[in-house]
Amino acid sequence: KDLKADLAGLASHKHAAKGFRKELGTQNEQLEILEEKVDECRQDIKEADKLIEQHNEVITRVEELQSELDEKDMEYQTASTILENHKSYLDEDMTEKHSTRELKDMLRDFEEQTEKRVEAKEDLERDRQKFKDEIDDVGRDANKLMSEQGRLASEKARYEDLLKQRFTKMEKIAGKWGIELAVTQSQSQNNSSFVSQGGNAGDVDNSQDSLLNISGGDMQSFFKALSEKEEMMKQELKEHKARAQEAEDAIQEKLSALNVESGTFEAARQKILDQIKDSQKEQQELSKSHSSGRTRQSEIDDVRRQATQYAKQREDANSDPRKSEIPIELRSYADKIDKLQRSIEEDAAVLQDLQLNATSQNEVSLLKKQIAQEIEGLRESIEDQDFEFSRFKVVAPQFPDEGDDNRGEDLLIAIENLSQVVTEKFGEGMEQLDKSLSNVSVKDRAISEKTALLKHSKQALSANRARVNSLCGEDGSVTTYQRVVAAIRQFADGAGIVTNFDEQDPQTLIAFLDAQLEDLVDMGGDAMAEVGPAVIKRLKNLARVNDDDGALKGFQCPCCLKELEGQEAVTFGKTMKELADPTRSAIFQDGPDLQRDRATRKNFERWRKTVSNGLAAITEHKRLVGESQNLANSMKELESAVSELEQDLVSLKADNADLQSEADGLRQFVDFAKRWVEGANKISSKKISINQKSDDLTMSMTALDTGNRDLDTVTKDLEEKREEKDMLGTKTIKLNKEMTTLNTKVSNYSTSAARLEQVLKEKEHKFKEEQRSTTRKKELNESISKWQEEEKKLIDQASALRPKLRAKETERQRQREHAKEEEEGISDNVSKFSSERLSLEGTHSGIERAAREQDVSNLDSLNANLDKLQGKKKEKEQRIKELEPELERVIRSINDQESHRKLIQGNIELIQMRQRKKELKKAMDSLNEDLAQIPGCDVAAKEFKAAKNRKDELGDAKARLEGRRGGFVEQIHTLKRKLKTPEYKDVDRRHRKAMIMHSTTQAAVGDLEKYHAALDKALLRYHGLKIGEINKIIRELWTLTYKGQDITSIEIVSGQDSGAKTSKSYNYRVVMTKGGSQLDMRGRCSAGQRVLASIVIRLALAETFCLKFGCIALDEPTVNLDYNNKKGLGIALAQIIASRSTQSNFQLVIITHDEEFVNMVKTELSGQTGFSMPDKYFQVRREEGIDNRWYSRIDAVDWDELA
């Protein structure tokens, strides 16, 4: 039924797989059509990308200009708003009345005045901070003095407290321990030292204000008295311990003498007890050895008579002629059985070879079927991949004819060649894919690099612009430089000075200012005071006219060289002298021109300093402007390059996707090719195996000698020979049973005779032992009475000593407790005294340490210094109050100047904002002109949008096609996966195999039913035969062993009718027979009958089924058996032993306490012939060890020693 259900399922799967293959072909055709449409969409998208790129360049340029224009417009609007707001914030618009230069000059004058007021303010703040710092210093010094004052006061209080504690402890110790307290009293007169008031020990002022000052000598005397007292207490403790030990030693000596005397009595008593115990033990052993009853002389005579009778019966049984005839017949049957066994073994070997050949033939047929199925499956798998063959332009392999390819090598070579071609194509595809991926990676890396450079350039440009804005801000260095240049040009225009410097080169401006400073030499004021006298002196020297000898001859004018004579020379000298006098000479007075030159020089110096300070910033501004322009140009180039690279990357990725799809298909094709190679290898291996098995089968059939018999004939001959062997075996068993019966009789007689002889010996020996035991018991009773009297005397003597021992032990215990109490009291006093002494010493040490550390002599000076510091602090605070009004007045003046300065500064900024607004308007006009000159800027956005829409439509169409293609691919993969699932994979081959299996199974079921019926009949027949054989043996053994008259025989009933079918279980029961009537033995027989029946049944079962395993073990088989039944069991066992003696693996184990039964078996065995008697038997008994524990002991005893 299972195979039929499997066959139906495989048929449905086969039909479904056929539908799947048909649908797979349809899907592959539609997939090819979609691939062509997708390629067309890709080409159209590339053309749309080119148009988009062209229009995008125009739009990008327009957007850049528009962005700049919007930025400028936003800056213009912002500047206008800021200008209006700034103008509204100003209190007065000064731009209409004053120019920028005039406003800056006014600003400089305000700055000079403000600087002076700020300097005055800073001076006042420094003075105020100086006073505050001095106040803080005074406060810190006062805090230090107050801390020192508190420390000295606490030390004084602690010192006084320690003095009180010391005197209190001294009084306590003196009163408690009886020590004299003698101290010298002194009253302190100095309040600056810590000296206590006090008196003697009997007159002490306990008020809080009076302190006792004890001298060092008094303290040493007191401590010495304490040490002497402590030593005396320790000596008293030591003497007490010695006295207690002496008293305890005296008591211990008396107690030891009493213990020795008591031990002597106890040892003597223990010796007597041991002797009494040994005597009683011997009595118990004697009583135990004869506890089974006494033996009489009449019993010995009866046993001797029965032994003689059994010996005569054993001799009669040994003379039976059948004992010699049966062995001859057994040997004849054994020879026939050996011949049949050899013939059976030969036929069995031939049968095995024929079965192996048949098996090999079946294997060859099965392999051929498997090869045909696998070739068909391989052909179908290759046909399923027709689309892949056409897609990758690969030629499908041709399958060779079966007759031409016996070893499968041609098919394997064709499949391997196909696998090699597909693998090469896959390698080429992967190489192209790797190149494409490498190009994509290169483009990605280039885009990343360009993007990073572009980002870095943007960041650098932003940073440069921020720095330029910072430098060009209101207070920036460049703005300040431009103001200086404007001021210089304005001054030069007013003074008529030619400005030959370049504004973009600050060095030329510095050189111009240096040249102007050289022209303006300051000859007024202090300079003229230093140079003027020297110049006049030089003029006077030039006016002197000397003769050849160098003497003064006259004077001449140093300008026109006219000689001066008379009054002229006097007037010249007087005039030179007046000119040389700084107080009267007009040369040393500053005129209007000189003051103007000095102001001009000061301005030039200030301008030069400003230009020099801003030289680095101006150079940096020039550099940043150039770098910003270069960065802007570089950014445009980078953006263009990034756009081109991105377009190339899109194209490469599209090509890469196509290559990846082709590589995936080739990879799957390679996997199919590998599986085909594996299938071809399996087919080739199986063909080689078929050839080898066919050759081996041919050789085996040639070498096999069957005597022209087939498999069925050999099987029939083998069964007939086995039946003949079984018949001879049955006859042999019957002869063995007859021989066993004869041997059993001899064994029974021998056993009985031997047992009776052994019983006779035991009874004679037991009779003698009983006589000796009676005499020994009397002797032991007399000895025990004597020793008990001696023990009583020793107990009385030991009882008299016990009161004395208890009294001495009580006395010793009392002595110990009393000594311990006194010792603990003295030791406790010593500990308390030592603790109080150490406490006093600690307090005294604290007083001495405090006395050394105390220092209050400077307490008054500390108070005086503290008052001085407080006065100084108040003085400084008063000075600060005086400075506050002046400082507030200066601050208000500075604030007023600051508001006026901000007004001027705001007007200057207003002028600059108007100029910035004009510049932005001019830049916006220039950008509008550039925007109008770009060709096609008005239609670029529209065309770009149209191209973009066209690309999006194509992309959507391509996406839809790819989506449909993905659906077809997924459906194809799904169909392939379904065909590869266990339900549909090789379903045709499995369907054919299942159909064959179903047909063969149906035939096998019919054969098995026939075999089952035959086996059922054979089992029923075998069961009936074995039950009959067992019951026959049971009847023989029961007749031989059971000596009663109430049960003729017993047998086993299984409850199975002879004509019924075999059953898996049987209801076995034992029945007993008497006069043709049967009854169940359960509940109707005695214990002895049950035991005997159990043994007989077990022996029969062993006799029937244990021919190869011949071990029988009987544990206490004679339980509940009377003498006659016991004897019958012994005879039966002896006969079994005699009949099974020829069996090499036979062994009988009997475990029993009944020696009589063993003698019966021995006697019966001695009457049997044809076997050897046992050598030994094993005797198990209990034995007491040296540790008073009982152990089992097993001894091997010779069989002949068994009485």
Side-chain angles (χ1 to χ4, degrees), residues 92-99 103 907-908 910-911 914:
E92 180 184 359
D93 187 0
M94 303 172 65
T95 57
E96 298 177 357
K97 298 179 181 180
H98 302 282
S99 63
L103 291 173
N907 281 276
I908 295 173
L910 183 61
I911 295 173
R914 289 172 178 168

Side-chain angles (χ1 to χ4, degrees), residues 273-290:
L273 290 174
D274 292 341
Q275 291 174 352
I276 293 171
K277 184 178 180 182
D278 293 340
S279 298
Q280 291 175 346
K281 183 178 180 182
E282 186 176 356
Q283 281 182 338
Q284 292 175 358
E285 291 177 354
L286 291 173
S287 299
K288 186 178 180 181
S289 62
H290 302 291

Side-chain angles (χ1 to χ4, degrees), residues 238-458:
K238 185 176 181 182
E239 291 174 356
H240 178 269
K241 289 181 179 180
R243 288 194 301 271
Q245 187 63 39
E246 290 175 359
E248 185 174 352
D249 291 342
I251 295 171
Q252 186 63 37
E253 289 177 1
K254 294 178 182 180
L255 188 59
S256 298
L258 293 173
N259 284 329
V260 170
E261 187 177 357
S262 176
T264 302
F265 292 148
E266 188 64 28
R269 179 175 173 269
Q270 186 63 36
K271 184 177 181 182
I272 292 170
L273 290 174
D274 292 341
Q275 291 174 352
I276 293 171
K277 184 178 180 182
D278 293 340
S279 298
Q280 291 175 346
K281 183 178 180 182
E282 186 176 356
Q283 281 182 338
Q284 292 175 358
E285 291 177 354
L286 291 173
S287 299
K288 186 178 180 181
S289 62
H290 302 291
S291 61
S292 60
R294 300 184 64 82
T295 304
R296 293 184 294 273
Q297 184 64 39
S298 60
E299 294 177 357
I300 297 173
D301 295 337
D302 292 338
V303 172
R304 187 179 290 113
R305 185 173 56 255
Q306 291 176 2
T308 302
Q309 183 181 357
Y310 277 112
K312 185 177 181 298
Q313 292 176 354
R314 179 182 61 195
E315 293 174 0
D316 293 339
N318 284 328
S319 60
D320 190 345
R322 282 296 291 170
K323 293 192 68 175
S324 59
E325 295 173 357
I326 291 174
I328 295 172
E329 294 178 2
L330 287 174
R331 283 193 292 273
S332 176
Y333 289 154
D335 293 338
K336 293 180 180 179
I337 290 172
D338 290 338
K339 291 179 181 179
L340 288 172
Q341 181 64 32
R342 286 194 294 271
S343 179
I344 289 170
E345 290 176 355
E346 292 175 358
D347 289 346
V350 172
L351 179 63
Q352 185 177 5
D353 293 337
L354 290 173
Q355 289 174 346
L356 289 174
N357 290 337
T359 303
S360 299
Q361 185 65 37
N362 292 333
E363 289 178 354
V364 169
S365 300
L366 182 61
L367 286 173
K368 288 181 178 179
K369 292 179 181 179
Q370 291 178 354
I371 288 172
Q373 293 172 358
E374 290 179 359
I375 291 176
E376 183 64 22
L378 184 61
R379 181 180 286 108
E380 290 177 357
S381 179
I382 292 175
E383 290 174 356
D384 291 341
Q385 302 301 321
D386 287 340
F387 172 73
E388 303 295 337
F389 281 105
S390 60
R391 178 184 178 186
F392 300 114
K393 299 178 182 179
V394 178
V395 179
Q398 298 295 327
F399 284 79
D401 296 334
E402 292 295 327
D404 298 336
D405 190 16
N406 292 330
R407 299 177 62 85
E409 294 178 351
D410 296 340
L411 176 62
L412 179 61
I413 292 171
I415 298 299
E416 287 180 346
N417 291 335
L418 170 63
S419 177
Q420 184 177 0
V421 170
V422 173
T423 304
E424 291 176 356
K425 285 187 172 293
F426 176 67
E428 294 174 358
M430 290 303 296
E431 185 176 358
Q432 294 177 0
L433 179 61
D434 292 338
K435 289 181 180 179
S436 178
L437 291 174
S438 177
N439 293 333
V440 170
S441 177
V442 170
K443 292 294 183 182
D444 278 333
R445 188 163 55 252
I447 290 173
S448 299
E449 293 175 357
K450 298 292 185 182
T451 304
L453 288 174
L454 181 60
K455 182 178 180 181
H456 181 268
S457 299
K458 288 181 179 180

Side-chain angles (χ1 to χ4, degrees), residues 714-812:
V714 173
T715 303
K716 185 176 180 181
D717 292 344
L718 186 61
E719 290 178 354
E720 291 176 354
K721 290 177 182 179
R722 285 175 177 170
E723 289 177 357
E724 184 179 358
K725 179 185 174 185
D726 292 339
M727 182 183 66
L728 292 173
T730 302
K731 291 179 179 180
T732 302
I733 292 172
K734 290 180 179 180
L735 290 174
N736 283 328
K737 289 180 180 179
E738 184 179 356
M739 190 67 183
T740 300
T741 303
L742 294 174
N743 290 331
T744 300
K745 290 180 181 180
V746 176
S747 176
N748 289 338
Y749 295 146
S750 299
T751 301
S752 299
R755 179 182 60 79
L756 290 173
E757 290 174 1
Q758 179 66 25
V759 171
L760 179 61
K761 291 179 181 179
E762 289 178 354
K763 287 186 177 293
E764 290 175 351
H765 178 70
K766 185 177 180 182
F767 182 76
K768 293 177 183 179
E769 289 293 331
E770 287 175 355
Q771 297 298 324
R772 284 195 298 268
S773 297
T774 303
T775 304
R776 179 59 180 165
K777 285 181 180 180
K778 291 179 181 180
E779 293 175 358
L780 290 174
N781 286 330
E782 292 175 359
S783 299
I784 289 172
S785 299
K786 181 181 177 181
W787 288 331
Q788 286 177 348
E789 291 177 359
E790 292 180 1
E791 180 190 6
K792 186 175 182 182
K793 292 179 182 180
L794 291 173
I795 289 172
D796 294 339
Q797 292 176 1
S799 298
L801 287 175
R802 289 195 186 95
K804 296 179 181 181
L805 285 171
R806 284 195 295 271
K808 287 298 180 182
E809 289 177 353
T810 302
E811 184 180 356
R812 183 180 63 181

Side-chain angles (χ1 to χ4, degrees), residues 155 159 844-855:
E155 287 183 357
Y159 181 76
H844 181 67
S845 299
I847 291 172
E848 291 180 346
R849 186 166 54 254
R852 287 194 301 271
E853 295 175 357
Q854 66 185 1
D855 184 14

Side-chain angles (χ1 to χ4, degrees), residues 1105-1142:
F1105 297 110
C1106 297
L1107 295 176
K1108 294 184 179 180
F1109 182 77
C1111 293
I1112 304 174
L1114 300 175
D1115 187 6
E1116 298 293 348
T1118 60
V1119 174
N1120 295 326
L1121 295 182
D1122 56 11
Y1123 177 79
N1124 293 328
N1125 290 329
K1126 187 190 304 181
K1127 182 178 179 180
L1129 178 60
I1131 293 171
L1133 291 176
Q1135 290 178 358
I1136 290 174
I1137 293 171
S1139 64
R1140 299 288 287 275
S1141 61
T1142 59

